[in-house]
C-alpha cells in the first residue's frame, strides 16, 4: 500500500480548506439558532475537530523536511491558534452564555 506523500503545498491547501470549513460551518450552524442544542453540539465538535487537525498539520509543516518560509508557517500557526481560542471563547468560556445552553 502506498504511503500518503505530503508536500508543503498540499499541507497549506489542507489548512486553508480547514479554515474555510470552520468559518462556513460556524456561520451556517450559528444562524440556525441557539435554541437547538443538537446544532450547538455538532458545531462544537466540528470546530474542535478542525482545530485539532489544523494544529497537527501545522506541527507537521514545521518539520525541517518542508521548505516553506518561516513567516508563512507562523501565520498559519497563529490562524489555527486564533480559531482554537475563538472556539474556546464561543463555547466554553463561562461568561459568554453558551455553556448554559450546551451543558444544561
Amino acid at each position: 500500500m502506498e504511503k500518503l506523500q505530503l508536500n508543503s503545498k498540499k499541507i497549506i491547501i489542507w489548512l486553508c480548506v480547514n479554515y474555510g470549513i470552520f468559518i462556513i460551518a460556524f456561520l451556517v450552524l450559528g444562524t440556525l439558532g441557539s435554541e437547538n442544542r443538537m446544532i450547538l453540539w455538532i458545531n462544537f465538535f466540528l470546530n474542535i475537530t478542525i482545530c485539532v487537525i489544523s494544529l497537527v498539520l501545522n506541527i507537521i509543516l514545521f518539520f525541517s523536511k518542508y521548505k516553506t518560509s518561516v513567516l508563512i508557517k507562523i501565520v498559519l500557526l497563529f490562524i489555527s491558534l486564533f480559531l482554537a481560542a475563538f472556539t474556546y471563547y464561543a463555547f466554553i468560556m463561562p461568561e459568554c452564555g453558551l455553556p448554559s445552553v450546551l451543558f444544561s
Side-chain angles (χ1 to χ4, degrees):
M1 188 163 211
E2 272 187 51
K3 199 174 185 182
L4 180 65
Q5 297 294 325
L6 289 176
N7 58 20
S8 59
K9 185 177 180 180
K10 286 182 184 178
I11 293 173
I12 293 172
I13 288 171
W14 275 108
L15 283 170
C16 292
V17 167
N18 280 350
Y19 301 153
I21 292 171
F22 183 94
I23 292 169
I24 290 170
F26 191 81
L27 292 176
V28 169
L29 293 175
T31 58
L32 294 176
S34 62
E35 55 274 344
N36 192 345
R37 288 180 52 199
M38 185 57 75
I39 293 173
L40 290 174
W41 278 106
I42 291 170
N43 196 3
F44 174 70
F45 286 118
L46 180 66
N47 289 346
I48 293 295
T49 305
I50 290 173
C51 288
V52 168
I53 292 171
S54 295
L55 288 173
V56 168
L57 288 173
N58 275 305
I59 291 170
I60 292 171
L61 191 61
F62 271 97
F63 291 160
S64 61
K65 174 177 136 178
Y66 302 106
K67 306 295 183 209
T68 307
S69 170
V70 176
L71 179 65
I72 292 173
K73 292 178 182 181
I74 291 174
V75 166
L76 291 171
L77 179 65
F78 280 148
I79 292 172
S80 296
L81 292 174
F82 171 77
L83 293 179
F86 180 76
T87 301
Y88 171 76
Y89 176 75
F91 292 104
I92 300 173
M93 187 178 247
E95 294 89 31
C96 74
L98 278 179
S100 62
V101 175
L102 281 176
F103 301 112
S104 63

